[in-house]
Amino acid sequence: MSMALDQQRMIDVIYGGLAYVGPNSPWTFAVDKEPTVKDLGPYYQYDPKKAKAMLAEAGFPNGFTANMIMYEYASYNKDISEMAADMLKDIGVTLKVQNLDYTSYNSQWVGRKFEEMANGWGTVSFEPDGFLYNQMHSKSPGNRSFIDDPVV
């Protein structure tokens, strides 16, 4: 796959148009109306030129290589990983996707033992405190993004 895809194309291809670009947190926990992609600001926009400039500013003018683990729970998991790798290629980042067997993947994902990136599922809750604690609290086993921020 070697075509640059914007966010809407990714949604159309992977989810048949039945999704939207947005953050991981359910907005109904905090506000009455879900924000649009434009409302979410520059970091939710697909902007390879800006991304390249930010990488250069961060000390990676020639990009870098990273590894990502995944397990193919459904075909779209592999599609998402491949499209993410393709989009990152546009800014000089080489993403090496490793499709693991179920046991290997989950031992790393659930155990928070993956080295760089993972395409994975998240813990959920039907109320804000449970959702945010599960995803973001430094002591939560569901905090697979390794967030350790006293303010959060």
Side-chain angles (χ1 to χ4, degrees), residues 59-96:
F60 298 96
N62 300 314
F64 60 89
T65 298
N67 297 301
M68 181 171 75
I69 64 166
M70 62 150 298
Y71 172 71
E72 198 170 343
Y73 285 101
S75 62
Y76 61 80
N77 287 84
K78 186 175 178 189
D79 294 342
I80 290 169
S81 298
E82 289 175 351
M83 287 184 167
D86 192 56
M87 292 171 81
L88 287 168
K89 208 179 291 179
D90 291 344
I91 63 171
V93 174
T94 300
L95 185 61
K96 295 181 179 180

Side-chain angles (χ1 to χ4, degrees), residues 4 13 148:
V13 170
D148 188 10

Side-chain angles (χ1 to χ4, degrees), residues 20 22-35 123-132 135-136:
Y20 67 95
N24 197 20
S25 181
W27 282 96
T28 54
F29 288 163
V31 296
D32 293 329
K33 181 182 171 198
E34 284 196 28
T123 55
V124 297
S125 175
F126 293 105
E127 48 88 25
D129 188 56
F131 181 88
L132 295 171
Q135 298 281 339
M136 300 178 175

